Amino acid sequence: MSRHDSVVKPPTRAERKAALLAELEQQRIDMLIDSDTLLRASSPLDSQWKSLKLPLYAIGGVAALRIARHPGGAMAAGRKVLAGYMLFRKLKLLTKVAT
């Protein structure tokens, strides 16, 4: 047995291309299977969302109307939410520094 018999040749360009195309085809098949699984898993949520959509739109419309008529209350609430968020961030930063 000579030294040249144990040398493994790298795959040719055509072989690499064929391997990549086979891998792509397998990925497409996997994505089709996964998307079908996702659709089956999310179908109960979709049906519940359809039943809640109209009431949520109505509530959102009423809230938008109230905000349009009395913007001062919404602005005050927005300032309080922003202040709370900033306080939360500051406390989070302080706990990081303290530990």
Side-chain angles (χ1 to χ4, degrees):
M1 186 169 184
S2 67
R3 278 201 293 178
H4 297 291
D5 291 338
S6 64
V7 175
V8 178
K9 284 186 173 181
T12 64
R13 183 177 176 159
E15 291 170 339
R16 287 194 318 256
K17 182 178 178 180
L20 286 172
L21 287 174
E23 186 179 347
L24 282 173
E25 185 63 28
Q26 185 59 47
Q27 288 175 354
R28 287 185 188 118
I29 292 169
D30 291 344
M31 283 194 316
L32 284 172
I33 292 169
D34 290 343
S35 67
D36 186 51
T37 304
L38 177 66
L39 284 174
R40 276 191 272 119
S42 66
S43 65
L45 292 174
D46 288 341
S47 64
Q48 288 177 356
W49 166 248
K50 286 178 185 174
S51 67
L52 289 176
K53 197 181 340 181
L54 187 61
L56 287 176
Y57 283 157
I59 291 169
V62 169
L65 225 112
R66 286 191 64 172
I67 290 171
R69 290 180 134 192
H70 307 286
M75 292 296 285
R79 281 194 297 271
K80 288 178 185 177
V81 167
L82 182 61
Y85 173 70
M86 297 300 285
L87 180 64
F88 172 75
R89 282 186 53 197
K90 191 63 80 172
L91 288 173
K92 191 174 171 183
L93 181 67
L94 285 173
T95 57
K96 242 185 221 183
V97 171
T99 55

